[in-house]
Amino acid sequence: MNTNDTKKIDSILFDLDGTLINTIDLIVASFLHTMDAYYPGKYQREDVISFIGPPLSETFTNLDASRVEEMTHTYRTFNLENHDDLVSEYQGVAETLEVLSQQGYKLAIVTTKRRDTALKGLKLMGLEKYFNVVVSIDEVSNYKPDPEPLNLALQQLDSTAEKAIMVGDSEHDILGGQNTGTKTAGVAWSVKGRAHLASFHPDVMLEEMTDLLDYLGLPK
């Protein structure tokens, strides 16, 4: 429920993949397709789950620094070709964003995706109207958990960390919020599991997105 602490929140920063839109099947399939091309038979679904969160450049550098561009091209080609078929919505997201928008909250996306792909997902799910501010990997030198992308979003929203909460499905989101000085909310539908996300001590754990309205003291 609303407390003195949450009354001052006027800005909400959202991760995109696995938080607002269900891209998990798409991401996993894209990684498995890529891994099968370069490391046949070596990787299964449970193996590539750990790849979710950081930018592709970091994941592929850790695998083979000499083939980052090649693997990234393979991944993105498959990802774009299958995007609309494998992306779906999470229950309660659209309703929550509608209430937040009507109540005058400042909303932003902070993602490690490329901007064009992020906008594609938002448009597919009909959520683009809620976000005038989208900070992608294209606009920053450092990515979550570094505070740079969150601070850029706050700057564009004309807000401050003390008035904001970061909502996300990975440790990069929670640590990013903590490093920036915002409140943090984890989502229990994280592909890495509720317990994993809870171990990073978000201020609140959302069992479904409408719980964010309860946390802020707003009517559903």
Side-chain angles (χ1 to χ4, degrees):
M1 297 301 293
N2 199 308
T3 67
N4 288 334
D5 239 9
T6 60
K7 282 179 182 176
K8 64 184 180 183
I9 292 176
D10 67 8
S11 304
I12 306 174
L13 311 180
F14 290 97
D15 175 57
L16 185 59
D17 289 344
T19 299
L20 289 182
I21 62 176
N22 188 354
T23 51
I24 299 305
D25 287 345
L26 174 65
I27 292 171
V28 169
S30 300
F31 274 126
L32 287 176
H33 170 79
T34 306
M35 293 301 97
D36 191 52
Y38 295 94
Y39 307 96
K42 185 176 179 182
Y43 288 87
Q44 304 299 320
R45 178 186 171 91
E46 56 271 22
D47 302 315
V48 302
I49 291 296
S50 64
F51 296 165
I52 297 175
L56 294 176
S57 57
E58 178 181 314
T59 298
F60 293 147
T61 296
N62 290 336
L63 289 169
D64 186 345
S66 69
R67 302 173 92 173
V68 173
E69 288 188 19
E70 191 181 337
M71 286 192 283
T72 300
H73 177 74
T74 300
Y75 177 100
R76 284 184 170 149
T77 299
F78 179 92
N79 189 278
L80 287 172
E81 287 176 351
N82 294 275
H83 182 279
D84 291 4
D85 291 332
L86 294 179
V87 174
S88 59
E89 62 184 339
Y90 286 122
Q91 183 176 351
V93 167
E95 298 91 323
T96 300
L97 293 176
E98 181 64 24
V99 172
L100 293 173
S101 178
Q102 289 177 354
Q103 293 290 328
Y105 281 82
K106 303 174 183 180
L107 308 178
I109 297 291
V110 182
T111 177
T112 54
K113 294 182 87 162
R114 293 196 312 182
R115 185 175 191 86
D116 57 350
T117 315
L119 295 177
K120 183 179 177 73
L122 284 171
K123 185 175 182 180
L124 180 67
M125 293 293 103
L127 304 178
E128 76 276 16
K129 62 185 176 181
Y130 299 113
F131 297 100
N132 291 322
V133 172
V134 176
V135 175
S136 73
I137 194 71
D138 296 335
E139 286 84 50
V140 296
S141 301
N142 303 291
Y143 46 84
K144 298 175 290 186
D146 190 277
E148 182 188 349
L150 285 81
N151 281 327
L152 180 58
L154 291 170
Q155 179 184 346
Q156 293 183 12
L157 290 175
D158 191 26
S159 187
T160 61
E162 295 74 24
K163 296 180 178 180
I165 184 169
M166 176 74 212
V167 183
D169 70 314
S170 85
E171 64 268 26
H172 298 82
D173 303 310
I174 306 307
L175 293 173
Q178 291 168 350
N179 290 337
T180 307
T182 71
K183 293 286 188 184
T184 57
V187 299
W189 53 93
S190 168
V191 69
K192 294 184 179 180
R194 189 187 193 283
H196 172 78
L197 203 54
S199 72
F200 293 90
H201 309 293
D203 292 291
V204 62
M205 184 67 75
L206 309 177
E207 300 300 327
E208 55 187 46
M209 190 56 79
T210 53
D211 290 346
L212 181 59
L213 301 178
D214 289 334
Y215 181 70
L216 296 170
L218 299 175
K220 290 186 178 179

